[in-house]
Amino acid sequence: PAGATGGMPPEMEAMMKAAQPGEFHAKLKPLAGKWTVTSKFRMSPDQPWEESTGKAEYKWTLGGRYLFQDVKGNPTEKDKEMGGPFEGFGMMGYDNMSKKYFSTWVDNMGCGLMTSTGVCDSSGKTFTFNSDPYICPMTGENKINKSILRIAGDDKVVGLHC
């Protein structure tokens, strides 16, 4: 039987509706662009904080369905021991069927894929992601990573990864 769109089966209508970017994708729009990155990290709680800098570009792909992330660290003195300047790629989006945001991430500090799902708060400015379990390369333990990404203004995004 034909659906409301004149001849298209209802199943096809449902699939087409599920494939359209919408209001939840729009909440990611402030992230698109070129960014200067400052990261603070430490290898363990008893170590001092270290800082690194770099550049990131977030750009829409596949008709505004996915936000591709390309991150490059500036060269540092530790590049030899860490395998070179940091580089990473990711992708974010919103799954209309599961009603959740998602994120994927790979970088030159490992050989695995991190996948996460998340939500956006009622302000539309704070995204909280929890990774699928992964094996930490430093400890060998099964872990879950929590990431919070807050849009703090037109020119500032704050991320926390723990």
Side-chain angles (χ1 to χ4, degrees):
T5 58
M8 187 182 294
E11 297 85 3
M12 184 61 82
E13 284 183 40
M15 187 180 89
M16 297 296 289
K17 183 178 178 185
Q20 295 304 308
E23 67 177 295
F24 296 99
H25 296 84
K27 291 179 182 185
L28 294 169
K29 283 186 179 181
L31 298 173
K34 294 183 179 183
W35 298 92
T36 299
V37 176
T38 302
S39 299
K40 292 183 181 179
F41 61 93
R42 57 186 177 180
M43 301 309 276
S44 66
D46 60 333
Q47 296 291 314
W49 288 96
E50 297 183 50
E51 189 172 289
S52 68
T53 60
K55 301 284 182 195
E57 184 173 5
Y58 287 44
K59 56 185 170 183
W60 287 104
T61 187
L62 300 176
R65 289 170 177 83
Y66 309 102
L67 192 59
F68 182 76
Q69 307 158 275
D70 183 1
V71 180
K72 292 186 181 350
N74 292 328
T76 70
E77 295 174 11
K78 291 194 168 216
D79 287 346
K80 278 190 180 179
E81 65 186 78
M82 301 301 284
F86 179 81
E87 291 183 80
F89 300 103
M91 185 174 53
M92 300 173 78
Y94 182 79
D95 184 330
N96 289 331
M97 298 306 296
S98 70
K99 308 283 189 240
K100 290 185 180 180
Y101 288 91
F102 63 85
S103 173
T104 63
W105 184 256
V106 293
D107 59 45
N108 64 343
M109 303 275 300
C111 290
L113 170 70
M114 181 176 285
T115 59
S116 303
T117 56
V119 296
C120 185
D121 73 353
S122 60
S123 75
K125 304 277 185 207
T126 302
F127 300 86
T128 302
F129 291 91
N130 288 301
S131 73
D132 292 335
Y134 69 97
I135 299 172
C136 175
M138 292 191 300
T139 65
E141 298 172 359
N142 213 12
K143 292 195 171 198
I144 293 177
N145 185 51
K146 180 177 183 176
S147 298
I148 300 169
L149 192 61
R150 184 173 54 86
I151 299 168
D154 291 341
D155 62 351
K156 185 173 184 182
V157 176
V158 177
L160 172 65
H161 307 280
C162 43

